[in-house]
Amino acid sequence: MTQRQETEYLERVFDSSPVPLISLDVRFRVIMFNAAARRLTGYSTEEIEGRRVTGILPLRRIRMIIRALRNSGTYSMDGYMTRLVAKDGREIPVRLKATSLVDSEGRLFGNLLVVSDLGEIREVHSKMLEAERLAAITETAISINHEINNPLCSILGNTQLMLMDKGNL
């Protein structure tokens, strides 16, 4: 495989990821912005690549990410909650995982942001809670039905016995 073929292959892998990925250079300009990130934010490749990430991620958040990466002593940071700004201006709650990209000599040449859309997670969580509530209500209704049915069966049985005895008199 030639170097060009390898590059194209890696670009396709990056773009095909179902998880939103944003690759940044050392000045926090967007180098690559995959299809999942485009769907999430509404930006096209032309609108975002080559521009600073501050268009979708507030500068104060970027500074916090940089500080966290430097202070951690590692090249990655897991689970930073923030919001991305979509093209239409809405804020999207996300969880970011950031990784520093270093060359073979350990020099920083960029960062990779892996984005998890918390809106989707919250929606699934909400549906799960609703299903649990419905199950609890159903279970309560069944218990109440059982508690009412037992005495009614006794009353009905005794009433039928009394009617049978009345007929024999």
Side-chain angles (χ1 to χ4, degrees), residues 43-62:
Y43 285 102
S44 68
T45 303
E46 296 77 26
E47 292 171 312
I48 202 81
E49 285 185 0
R51 299 209 170 113
R52 293 188 137 240
V53 75
T54 53
I56 58 169
L57 188 62
L59 184 60
R60 62 186 165 79
R61 299 291 186 188
I62 295 169

Side-chain angles (χ1 to χ4, degrees), residues 127-141:
K127 286 180 182 178
M128 285 175 48
L129 285 176
E130 184 63 25
E132 286 178 18
R133 272 190 226 115
L134 288 173
I137 289 169
T138 302
E139 192 173 315
T140 303

Side-chain angles (χ1 to χ4, degrees), residues 1-38:
M1 198 182 266
T2 67
Q3 186 172 356
R4 182 161 197 240
Q5 289 172 323
E6 287 177 0
T7 302
E8 283 180 20
Y9 176 79
L10 290 175
E11 286 173 355
R12 286 189 184 131
V13 167
F14 185 89
D15 199 50
S16 298
S17 170
V19 177
L21 300 173
I22 305 168
S23 174
L24 309 169
D25 67 11
V26 291
R27 294 188 177 180
F28 289 90
R29 286 185 305 241
V30 177
I31 300 302
M32 295 175 77
F33 198 72
N34 77 346
R38 292 191 297 271

Side-chain angles (χ1 to χ4, degrees), residues 129-164:
L129 285 176
E130 184 63 25
E132 286 178 18
R133 272 190 226 115
L134 288 173
I137 289 169
T138 302
E139 192 173 315
T140 303
I142 290 170
S143 294
I144 290 171
N145 182 38
H146 183 72
E147 292 300 319
I148 291 171
N149 244 357
N150 280 347
L152 286 179
C153 284
S154 297
I155 293 169
L156 182 60
N158 286 332
T159 305
Q160 286 176 340
L161 284 175
M162 287 173 36
L163 287 173
M164 289 170 62

